[in-house]
Amino acid sequence: MKPKIYDISPKISSRLGVFPGDQAFSRHVAMSFAKGDNLELSSITTTLHLGAHADAPSHYHKSGETIEKRPLSRYIGPAQVVRIQGLNPGERVMPHHMRVEVLSPRILFDTQSFPDPEKWNSDFCSLSPELLNALADEGVKLVGIDTPSVDPEDCKPLDAHQVLFKRDFSVLEGLCLQDVPEGHYTLVALPLKIEGGDASPVRAVLLPSIHGFPEFGD
C-alpha cells in the first residue's frame, strides 16, 4: 500500500470563514471558456490570514519580520500531531493538557474546537502562554493549531502571539487535523514569498515520518 499524504489545508472559497471584519476570499473571472474566450483568467481578493496560513511576526509585533524574511526551514521537517481531549469551549491549552511526550521541534494541536472552516464559531480553543513557554524550553520552534488563531477571538493583548515573538516561534493556524491520527510526520507548509506580508496562505501537508530527514539551518 502506498504511503498516505494528509492534506491539512481547508478548501479555499468564498464560503471559507475569516475573522469578523477581515476580507473574505473572492475570485473574479476575467476570461473563461464558458464566455467564449480562448483561456481561463481570474484574480482574487482576500485576507492573507486565510484558511491554513503562516503568521509573520510583523502581524503581532512592531519589530517583527515580514513573511518573506522567515526561514523556510521552519515550515518543513519532522512534526508531531497532538490531540487535546476534553477542552471546554474557548479554553486555552495548558501544559497539563498534554498527554504525550514532546518529541518533535514542530507540534500541531488538534483541539477539535473549530470543526467546520466554513461555519465560523467564536468559542474556538487556543494556546496558553504557559504552554508556549514550556514548549520553547523543550526546543519546539513551530506550533500549529486547528483554529483561526493561537489566541481567543476577543483577546486584544494577543498574549500567546507575544510569546511567539519573544521565543522566536513560527506558527501555522487554520489547519485541518481531525482526520489525522496522532503521531509523527514530515510537515511541508511553505509560505509564499510576499514582500511585506503579515501572513501567507499555505498548502500544508503531512507526509509519513521520514527517518533521518534533515533539519535545515535557518
Side-chain angles (χ1 to χ4, degrees), residues 56 65-71 191-198:
E65 287 183 324
T66 50
I67 196 65
E68 84 280 14
K69 297 177 182 177
R70 296 300 286 165
L192 301 176
K193 202 172 185 178
I194 302 172
E195 183 176 4
D198 49 278

Side-chain angles (χ1 to χ4, degrees), residues 84 92-100 102 109 127-135 138:
I84 304 297
R92 288 186 187 261
V93 182
M94 300 294 292
H96 70 264
H97 290 123
M98 294 285 292
R99 300 176 295 103
V100 296
V102 173
F109 289 96
L127 304 181
S128 67
E130 295 87 344
L131 175 68
L132 292 172
N133 277 310
L135 293 175
E138 295 195 49

Side-chain angles (χ1 to χ4, degrees), residues 93-141:
V93 182
M94 300 294 292
H96 70 264
H97 290 123
M98 294 285 292
R99 300 176 295 103
V100 296
E101 184 180 1
V102 173
L103 297 172
S104 174
R106 299 168 188 83
I107 304 296
L108 309 181
F109 289 96
D110 177 24
T111 69
Q112 306 165 77
S113 65
F114 199 77
D116 186 347
E118 295 184 0
K119 293 182 179 178
W120 186 271
N121 59 276
S122 297
D123 59 352
F124 56 80
C125 295
S126 56
L127 304 181
S128 67
E130 295 87 344
L131 175 68
L132 292 172
N133 277 310
L135 293 175
D137 290 343
E138 295 195 49
V140 175
K141 59 186 180 180

Side-chain angles (χ1 to χ4, degrees), residues 4-207:
K4 183 176 179 61
I5 296 176
Y6 288 98
D7 185 350
I8 55 173
S9 309
K11 184 185 295 184
I12 294 176
S13 75
S14 60
R15 301 181 301 277
L16 190 59
V18 300
F19 255 85
D22 206 349
Q23 176 65 59
F25 176 87
S26 64
R27 176 172 170 262
H28 172 70
V29 178
M31 301 175 66
S32 73
F33 294 117
K35 294 192 296 185
D37 298 314
N38 66 320
L39 48 78
E40 292 278 334
L41 183 66
S42 61
S43 59
I44 63 173
T45 301
T46 183
T47 176
L48 295 178
H49 301 262
L50 182 72
H53 66 275
D55 276 358
S58 64
H59 174 53
Y60 42 84
H61 198 281
K62 63 182 180 180
S63 301
E65 287 183 324
T66 50
I67 196 65
E68 84 280 14
K69 297 177 182 177
R70 296 300 286 165
L72 291 179
S73 58
R74 298 294 185 90
Y75 306 97
I76 181 170
Q80 183 177 355
V81 173
V82 176
R83 185 155 288 115
I84 304 297
Q85 306 280 2
L87 293 174
N88 295 315
E91 190 173 2
R92 288 186 187 261
V93 182
M94 300 294 292
H96 70 264
H97 290 123
M98 294 285 292
R99 300 176 295 103
V100 296
E101 184 180 1
V102 173
L103 297 172
S104 174
R106 299 168 188 83
I107 304 296
L108 309 181
F109 289 96
D110 177 24
T111 69
Q112 306 165 77
S113 65
F114 199 77
D116 186 347
E118 295 184 0
K119 293 182 179 178
W120 186 271
N121 59 276
S122 297
D123 59 352
F124 56 80
C125 295
S126 56
L127 304 181
S128 67
E130 295 87 344
L131 175 68
L132 292 172
N133 277 310
L135 293 175
D137 290 343
E138 295 195 49
V140 175
K141 59 186 180 180
L142 177 143
V143 290
I145 194 167
D146 64 331
T147 72
S149 177
V150 297
D151 275 303
E153 180 182 311
D154 60 355
C155 180
K156 300 301 182 184
L158 297 176
D159 304 309
H161 282 89
Q162 297 312 309
V163 177
L164 295 182
F165 178 77
K166 292 175 183 177
R167 304 303 297 263
D168 193 27
F169 274 102
S170 294
V171 60
L172 297 172
E173 297 170 329
L175 303 176
C176 295
L177 296 168
Q178 65 269 25
D179 296 325
V180 182
E182 278 193 298
H184 298 272
Y185 300 88
T186 298
L187 170 71
V188 181
L190 301 180
L192 301 176
K193 202 172 185 178
I194 302 172
E195 183 176 4
D198 49 278
S200 170
V202 299
R203 183 68 178 267
V205 298
L206 292 173
L207 310 176

Side-chain angles (χ1 to χ4, degrees), residues 201-216:
V202 299
R203 183 68 178 267
V205 298
L206 292 173
L207 310 176
S209 180
I210 300 172
H211 179 71
F213 193 94
E215 279 290 342
F216 299 98

